[in-house]
Amino acid sequence: MATKDTALNALIEPVVTAMGFELWGIDYLSQGKHSRLVIFIDHEQGVGVDDCADVSRQVSAVLDVEDPIAGEYRLEVSSPGMDRPLFTLEQFERYAGHTVAVKLRAPFDGRRKFQGLLAGIEGDEVLLQLDGEEYCFPIESIDQARIVPRFDA
């Protein structure tokens, strides 16, 4: 699936960048007739509904021409939001000091889900602190990761 994501990224990133946005990440969920392609865009001034609609139209035109996905799928364009997913080592590094929820591709110590303080990165590993322990997860072992928003008064 990584090859599909790389190919989609190569098609979509130039379009998003040309429109003045950062391509935060791509999430492709292949589910037969109900497949979904979610594109996350970001901008310093935030992302509005009109921005998402504009990017959706442009990306849709490119995908219609290039046709990288066989069959039907639903295209969604969204901002990463407060509980933003993390896709790259640079994003993990940028959000060091925040609480993150991580889901691994395979169990580690008998579990796949971890939530703790993102301590940063070391090489190609994500450092997570929880329960007085520090865990190092290779980026390839992480299936999903999201920032856990804080709502302190």
PDB file of all heavy atoms in Angstrom, residues 37-39 41 51 55 61 66 74 89 97-98 101-102 104-107 110-111 116 119 123 136 144-145 150-152:
ATOM      1  N   LEU A  37     -10.587   8.282  -0.431  1.00  0.00           N
ATOM      2  CA  LEU A  37      -9.307   8.969  -0.504  1.00  0.00           C
ATOM      3  C   LEU A  37      -9.473  10.291   0.239  1.00  0.00           C
ATOM      4  O   LEU A  37     -10.242  11.154  -0.179  1.00  0.00           O
ATOM      5  CB  LEU A  37      -8.898   9.233  -1.962  1.00  0.00           C
ATOM      6  CG  LEU A  37      -7.627  10.049  -2.172  1.00  0.00           C
ATOM      7  CD1 LEU A  37      -6.414   9.353  -1.558  1.00  0.00           C
ATOM      8  CD2 LEU A  37      -7.402  10.318  -3.644  1.00  0.00           C
ATOM      9  N   VAL A  38      -8.781  10.400   1.381  1.00  0.00           N
ATOM     10  CA  VAL A  38      -8.853  11.618   2.190  1.00  0.00           C
ATOM     11  C   VAL A  38      -7.528  12.355   2.053  1.00  0.00           C
ATOM     12  O   VAL A  38      -6.464  11.784   2.262  1.00  0.00           O
ATOM     13  CB  VAL A  38      -9.120  11.301   3.684  1.00  0.00           C
ATOM     14  CG1 VAL A  38      -9.259  12.591   4.481  1.00  0.00           C
ATOM     15  CG2 VAL A  38     -10.352  10.426   3.849  1.00  0.00           C
ATOM     16  N   ILE A  39      -7.632  13.627   1.652  1.00  0.00           N
ATOM     17  CA  ILE A  39      -6.460  14.481   1.492  1.00  0.00           C
ATOM     18  C   ILE A  39      -6.525  15.556   2.573  1.00  0.00           C
ATOM     19  O   ILE A  39      -7.524  16.266   2.686  1.00  0.00           O
ATOM     20  CB  ILE A  39      -6.454  15.138   0.100  1.00  0.00           C
ATOM     21  CG1 ILE A  39      -6.419  14.050  -0.984  1.00  0.00           C
ATOM     22  CG2 ILE A  39      -5.291  16.103  -0.040  1.00  0.00           C
ATOM     23  CD1 ILE A  39      -6.682  14.576  -2.371  1.00  0.00           C
ATOM     24  N   ILE A  41      -5.057  19.011   3.996  1.00  0.00           N
ATOM     25  CA  ILE A  41      -4.296  20.191   3.592  1.00  0.00           C
ATOM     26  C   ILE A  41      -4.172  21.131   4.789  1.00  0.00           C
ATOM     27  O   ILE A  41      -5.031  21.139   5.675  1.00  0.00           O
ATOM     28  CB  ILE A  41      -4.945  20.926   2.395  1.00  0.00           C
ATOM     29  CG1 ILE A  41      -6.374  21.385   2.722  1.00  0.00           C
ATOM     30  CG2 ILE A  41      -4.919  20.036   1.162  1.00  0.00           C
ATOM     31  CD1 ILE A  41      -6.999  22.293   1.676  1.00  0.00           C
ATOM     32  N   ASP A  51     -11.743  26.501   0.808  1.00  0.00           N
ATOM     33  CA  ASP A  51     -10.408  26.022   0.443  1.00  0.00           C
ATOM     34  C   ASP A  51     -10.461  24.533   0.098  1.00  0.00           C
ATOM     35  O   ASP A  51      -9.894  24.094  -0.911  1.00  0.00           O
ATOM     36  CB  ASP A  51      -9.408  26.237   1.587  1.00  0.00           C
ATOM     37  CG  ASP A  51      -9.225  27.699   1.949  1.00  0.00           C
ATOM     38  OD1 ASP A  51      -9.290  28.554   1.035  1.00  0.00           O
ATOM     39  OD2 ASP A  51      -9.002  27.988   3.137  1.00  0.00           O
ATOM     40  N   VAL A  55      -9.600  22.874  -3.598  1.00  0.00           N
ATOM     41  CA  VAL A  55      -8.570  21.844  -3.751  1.00  0.00           C
ATOM     42  C   VAL A  55      -9.201  20.556  -4.270  1.00  0.00           C
ATOM     43  O   VAL A  55      -8.642  19.891  -5.149  1.00  0.00           O
ATOM     44  CB  VAL A  55      -7.815  21.609  -2.419  1.00  0.00           C
ATOM     45  CG1 VAL A  55      -6.923  20.377  -2.507  1.00  0.00           C
ATOM     46  CG2 VAL A  55      -6.989  22.837  -2.039  1.00  0.00           C
ATOM     47  N   ALA A  61      -9.804  16.779 -10.880  1.00  0.00           N
ATOM     48  CA  ALA A  61      -9.512  16.886 -12.314  1.00  0.00           C
ATOM     49  C   ALA A  61      -8.236  16.111 -12.667  1.00  0.00           C
ATOM     50  O   ALA A  61      -8.195  15.390 -13.660  1.00  0.00           O
ATOM     51  CB  ALA A  61      -9.376  18.352 -12.722  1.00  0.00           C
ATOM     52  N   GLU A  66      -5.358  11.168 -14.728  1.00  0.00           N
ATOM     53  CA  GLU A  66      -4.309  10.175 -14.441  1.00  0.00           C
ATOM     54  C   GLU A  66      -4.877   8.804 -14.069  1.00  0.00           C
ATOM     55  O   GLU A  66      -4.223   7.790 -14.274  1.00  0.00           O
ATOM     56  CB  GLU A  66      -3.388  10.681 -13.322  1.00  0.00           C
ATOM     57  CG  GLU A  66      -2.651  11.951 -13.672  1.00  0.00           C
ATOM     58  CD  GLU A  66      -1.646  11.772 -14.805  1.00  0.00           C
ATOM     59  OE1 GLU A  66      -1.111  10.658 -14.965  1.00  0.00           O
ATOM     60  OE2 GLU A  66      -1.405  12.740 -15.537  1.00  0.00           O
ATOM     61  N   ARG A  74     -14.546   7.673  -2.986  1.00  0.00           N
ATOM     62  CA  ARG A  74     -15.030   8.995  -2.588  1.00  0.00           C
ATOM     63  C   ARG A  74     -13.814   9.842  -2.208  1.00  0.00           C
ATOM     64  O   ARG A  74     -12.964   9.411  -1.442  1.00  0.00           O
ATOM     65  CB  ARG A  74     -15.981   8.855  -1.396  1.00  0.00           C
ATOM     66  CG  ARG A  74     -16.613  10.190  -1.005  1.00  0.00           C
ATOM     67  CD  ARG A  74     -17.664  10.028   0.075  1.00  0.00           C
ATOM     68  NE  ARG A  74     -17.033   9.687   1.330  1.00  0.00           N
ATOM     69  CZ  ARG A  74     -17.414   8.688   2.113  1.00  0.00           C
ATOM     70  NH1 ARG A  74     -18.409   7.907   1.766  1.00  0.00           N
ATOM     71  NH2 ARG A  74     -16.794   8.441   3.251  1.00  0.00           N
ATOM     72  N   LEU A  89       8.110  11.774   9.716  1.00  0.00           N
ATOM     73  CA  LEU A  89       9.012  12.046  10.839  1.00  0.00           C
ATOM     74  C   LEU A  89       9.076  13.536  11.143  1.00  0.00           C
ATOM     75  O   LEU A  89       9.134  13.940  12.308  1.00  0.00           O
ATOM     76  CB  LEU A  89      10.421  11.520  10.525  1.00  0.00           C
ATOM     77  CG  LEU A  89      10.602  10.012  10.655  1.00  0.00           C
ATOM     78  CD1 LEU A  89      11.947   9.588  10.078  1.00  0.00           C
ATOM     79  CD2 LEU A  89      10.483   9.575  12.105  1.00  0.00           C
ATOM     80  N   GLY A  97       6.439  17.083  22.402  1.00  0.00           N
ATOM     81  CA  GLY A  97       5.909  17.758  23.584  1.00  0.00           C
ATOM     82  C   GLY A  97       4.400  17.657  23.686  1.00  0.00           C
ATOM     83  O   GLY A  97       3.815  18.001  24.703  1.00  0.00           O
ATOM     84  N   HIS A  98       3.741  17.174  22.643  1.00  0.00           N
ATOM     85  CA  HIS A  98       2.290  16.983  22.645  1.00  0.00           C
ATOM     86  C   HIS A  98       1.964  15.528  22.983  1.00  0.00           C
ATOM     87  O   HIS A  98       2.770  14.630  22.780  1.00  0.00           O
ATOM     88  CB  HIS A  98       1.694  17.305  21.269  1.00  0.00           C
ATOM     89  CG  HIS A  98       1.691  18.759  20.950  1.00  0.00           C
ATOM     90  ND1 HIS A  98       2.804  19.435  20.521  1.00  0.00           N
ATOM     91  CD2 HIS A  98       0.690  19.675  20.998  1.00  0.00           C
ATOM     92  CE1 HIS A  98       2.500  20.705  20.317  1.00  0.00           C
ATOM     93  NE2 HIS A  98       1.227  20.875  20.598  1.00  0.00           N
ATOM     94  N   ALA A 101      -1.748   9.690  20.300  1.00  0.00           N
ATOM     95  CA  ALA A 101      -2.280   8.332  20.331  1.00  0.00           C
ATOM     96  C   ALA A 101      -1.698   7.619  19.120  1.00  0.00           C
ATOM     97  O   ALA A 101      -1.806   8.112  17.995  1.00  0.00           O
ATOM     98  CB  ALA A 101      -3.796   8.350  20.276  1.00  0.00           C
ATOM     99  N   VAL A 102      -1.065   6.476  19.346  1.00  0.00           N
ATOM    100  CA  VAL A 102      -0.393   5.724  18.292  1.00  0.00           C
ATOM    101  C   VAL A 102      -1.008   4.328  18.202  1.00  0.00           C
ATOM    102  O   VAL A 102      -1.229   3.680  19.221  1.00  0.00           O
ATOM    103  CB  VAL A 102       1.129   5.611  18.586  1.00  0.00           C
ATOM    104  CG1 VAL A 102       1.819   4.697  17.598  1.00  0.00           C
ATOM    105  CG2 VAL A 102       1.771   6.982  18.600  1.00  0.00           C
ATOM    106  N   LEU A 104      -0.152   0.753  16.301  1.00  0.00           N
ATOM    107  CA  LEU A 104       0.899   0.049  15.579  1.00  0.00           C
ATOM    108  C   LEU A 104       0.318  -0.953  14.583  1.00  0.00           C
ATOM    109  O   LEU A 104      -0.794  -1.441  14.758  1.00  0.00           O
ATOM    110  CB  LEU A 104       1.810  -0.695  16.564  1.00  0.00           C
ATOM    111  CG  LEU A 104       2.503   0.165  17.619  1.00  0.00           C
ATOM    112  CD1 LEU A 104       3.308  -0.719  18.565  1.00  0.00           C
ATOM    113  CD2 LEU A 104       3.399   1.208  16.983  1.00  0.00           C
ATOM    114  N   ARG A 105       1.092  -1.280  13.568  1.00  0.00           N
ATOM    115  CA  ARG A 105       0.682  -2.284  12.581  1.00  0.00           C
ATOM    116  C   ARG A 105       0.657  -3.682  13.201  1.00  0.00           C
ATOM    117  O   ARG A 105      -0.170  -4.506  12.832  1.00  0.00           O
ATOM    118  CB  ARG A 105       1.637  -2.271  11.387  1.00  0.00           C
ATOM    119  CG  ARG A 105       1.623  -0.985  10.604  1.00  0.00           C
ATOM    120  CD  ARG A 105       2.546  -1.052   9.382  1.00  0.00           C
ATOM    121  NE  ARG A 105       2.785   0.249   8.813  1.00  0.00           N
ATOM    122  CZ  ARG A 105       1.931   0.918   8.047  1.00  0.00           C
ATOM    123  NH1 ARG A 105       0.775   0.400   7.768  1.00  0.00           N
ATOM    124  NH2 ARG A 105       2.241   2.113   7.581  1.00  0.00           N
ATOM    125  N   ALA A 106       1.572  -3.948  14.119  1.00  0.00           N
ATOM    126  CA  ALA A 106       1.657  -5.247  14.796  1.00  0.00           C
ATOM    127  C   ALA A 106       1.846  -4.997  16.296  1.00  0.00           C
ATOM    128  O   ALA A 106       2.404  -3.971  16.693  1.00  0.00           O
ATOM    129  CB  ALA A 106       2.834  -6.044  14.240  1.00  0.00           C
ATOM    130  N   PRO A 107       1.386  -5.904  17.148  1.00  0.00           N
ATOM    131  CA  PRO A 107       1.503  -5.701  18.597  1.00  0.00           C
ATOM    132  C   PRO A 107       2.956  -5.594  19.074  1.00  0.00           C
ATOM    133  O   PRO A 107       3.851  -6.240  18.532  1.00  0.00           O
ATOM    134  CB  PRO A 107       0.851  -6.958  19.188  1.00  0.00           C
ATOM    135  CG  PRO A 107       0.016  -7.533  18.108  1.00  0.00           C
ATOM    136  CD  PRO A 107       0.671  -7.151  16.822  1.00  0.00           C
ATOM    137  N   GLY A 110       2.438  -7.009  23.554  1.00  0.00           N
ATOM    138  CA  GLY A 110       1.065  -7.490  23.656  1.00  0.00           C
ATOM    139  C   GLY A 110      -0.016  -6.463  23.363  1.00  0.00           C
ATOM    140  O   GLY A 110      -1.195  -6.729  23.567  1.00  0.00           O
ATOM    141  N   ARG A 111       0.363  -5.289  22.888  1.00  0.00           N
ATOM    142  CA  ARG A 111      -0.644  -4.273  22.565  1.00  0.00           C
ATOM    143  C   ARG A 111      -0.274  -3.500  21.321  1.00  0.00           C
ATOM    144  O   ARG A 111       0.894  -3.393  20.968  1.00  0.00           O
ATOM    145  CB  ARG A 111      -0.895  -3.341  23.749  1.00  0.00           C
ATOM    146  CG  ARG A 111       0.340  -2.606  24.216  1.00  0.00           C
ATOM    147  CD  ARG A 111       0.151  -1.967  25.576  1.00  0.00           C
ATOM    148  NE  ARG A 111      -0.203  -0.574  25.456  1.00  0.00           N
ATOM    149  CZ  ARG A 111       0.067   0.332  26.381  1.00  0.00           C
ATOM    150  NH1 ARG A 111       0.651   0.001  27.503  1.00  0.00           N
ATOM    151  NH2 ARG A 111      -0.282   1.575  26.201  1.00  0.00           N
ATOM    152  N   GLY A 116       0.751   8.663  24.808  1.00  0.00           N
ATOM    153  CA  GLY A 116       1.719   9.249  25.716  1.00  0.00           C
ATOM    154  C   GLY A 116       2.298  10.524  25.155  1.00  0.00           C
ATOM    155  O   GLY A 116       1.835  11.049  24.138  1.00  0.00           O
ATOM    156  N   ALA A 119       8.080  12.457  22.651  1.00  0.00           N
ATOM    157  CA  ALA A 119       9.363  13.004  23.095  1.00  0.00           C
ATOM    158  C   ALA A 119      10.215  13.489  21.937  1.00  0.00           C
ATOM    159  O   ALA A 119      11.199  14.191  22.135  1.00  0.00           O
ATOM    160  CB  ALA A 119      10.115  11.951  23.906  1.00  0.00           C
ATOM    161  N   GLY A 123      16.629   9.253  14.643  1.00  0.00           N
ATOM    162  CA  GLY A 123      16.806   8.516  13.392  1.00  0.00           C
ATOM    163  C   GLY A 123      15.456   8.366  12.705  1.00  0.00           C
ATOM    164  O   GLY A 123      14.780   9.361  12.451  1.00  0.00           O
ATOM    165  N   CYS A 136      10.478   3.356  21.710  1.00  0.00           N
ATOM    166  CA  CYS A 136      10.961   3.775  20.398  1.00  0.00           C
ATOM    167  C   CYS A 136      10.252   2.927  19.348  1.00  0.00           C
ATOM    168  O   CYS A 136      10.402   1.704  19.341  1.00  0.00           O
ATOM    169  CB  CYS A 136      12.464   3.556  20.276  1.00  0.00           C
ATOM    170  SG  CYS A 136      13.440   4.486  21.451  1.00  0.00           S
ATOM    171  N   GLN A 144      -1.239   4.285  12.499  1.00  0.00           N
ATOM    172  CA  GLN A 144      -1.884   5.590  12.632  1.00  0.00           C
ATOM    173  C   GLN A 144      -1.328   6.304  13.853  1.00  0.00           C
ATOM    174  O   GLN A 144      -0.996   5.669  14.850  1.00  0.00           O
ATOM    175  CB  GLN A 144      -3.397   5.441  12.841  1.00  0.00           C
ATOM    176  CG  GLN A 144      -4.141   4.810  11.722  1.00  0.00           C
ATOM    177  CD  GLN A 144      -5.618   4.616  12.085  1.00  0.00           C
ATOM    178  OE1 GLN A 144      -6.028   4.747  13.224  1.00  0.00           O
ATOM    179  NE2 GLN A 144      -6.407   4.297  11.088  1.00  0.00           N
ATOM    180  N   ALA A 145      -1.280   7.631  13.774  1.00  0.00           N
ATOM    181  CA  ALA A 145      -0.894   8.446  14.917  1.00  0.00           C
ATOM    182  C   ALA A 145      -1.663   9.756  14.829  1.00  0.00           C
ATOM    183  O   ALA A 145      -1.821  10.328  13.751  1.00  0.00           O
ATOM    184  CB  ALA A 145       0.608   8.709  14.927  1.00  0.00           C
ATOM    185  N   ARG A 150      -5.776  19.076  23.786  1.00  0.00           N
ATOM    186  CA  ARG A 150      -5.946  19.435  25.199  1.00  0.00           C
ATOM    187  C   ARG A 150      -6.920  20.599  25.284  1.00  0.00           C
ATOM    188  O   ARG A 150      -6.847  21.533  24.510  1.00  0.00           O
ATOM    189  CB  ARG A 150      -4.611  19.842  25.803  1.00  0.00           C
ATOM    190  CG  ARG A 150      -3.659  18.653  25.927  1.00  0.00           C
ATOM    191  CD  ARG A 150      -2.374  19.061  26.570  1.00  0.00           C
ATOM    192  NE  ARG A 150      -2.627  19.778  27.808  1.00  0.00           N
ATOM    193  CZ  ARG A 150      -1.692  20.278  28.588  1.00  0.00           C
ATOM    194  NH1 ARG A 150      -0.445  20.164  28.259  1.00  0.00           N
ATOM    195  NH2 ARG A 150      -1.996  20.907  29.692  1.00  0.00           N
ATOM    196  N   PHE A 151      -7.798  20.524  26.242  1.00  0.00           N
ATOM    197  CA  PHE A 151      -8.797  21.567  26.432  1.00  0.00           C
ATOM    198  C   PHE A 151      -8.689  22.123  27.845  1.00  0.00           C
ATOM    199  O   PHE A 151      -9.620  22.071  28.623  1.00  0.00           O
ATOM    200  CB  PHE A 151     -10.200  21.023  26.176  1.00  0.00           C
ATOM    201  CG  PHE A 151     -10.394  20.503  24.782  1.00  0.00           C
ATOM    202  CD1 PHE A 151     -10.339  19.144  24.520  1.00  0.00           C
ATOM    203  CD2 PHE A 151     -10.589  21.371  23.731  1.00  0.00           C
ATOM    204  CE1 PHE A 151     -10.500  18.661  23.237  1.00  0.00           C
ATOM    205  CE2 PHE A 151     -10.759  20.906  22.439  1.00  0.00           C
ATOM    206  CZ  PHE A 151     -10.715  19.536  22.189  1.00  0.00           C
ATOM    207  N   ASP A 152      -7.499  22.628  28.181  1.00  0.00           N
ATOM    208  CA  ASP A 152      -7.266  23.187  29.516  1.00  0.00           C
ATOM    209  C   ASP A 152      -7.979  24.523  29.638  1.00  0.00           C
ATOM    210  O   ASP A 152      -8.029  25.308  28.703  1.00  0.00           O
ATOM    211  CB  ASP A 152      -5.784  23.378  29.757  1.00  0.00           C
ATOM    212  CG  ASP A 152      -5.029  22.066  29.780  1.00  0.00           C
ATOM    213  OD1 ASP A 152      -5.675  21.020  29.971  1.00  0.00           O
ATOM    214  OD2 ASP A 152      -3.799  22.090  29.585  1.00  0.00           O
TER     215      ASP A 152
END
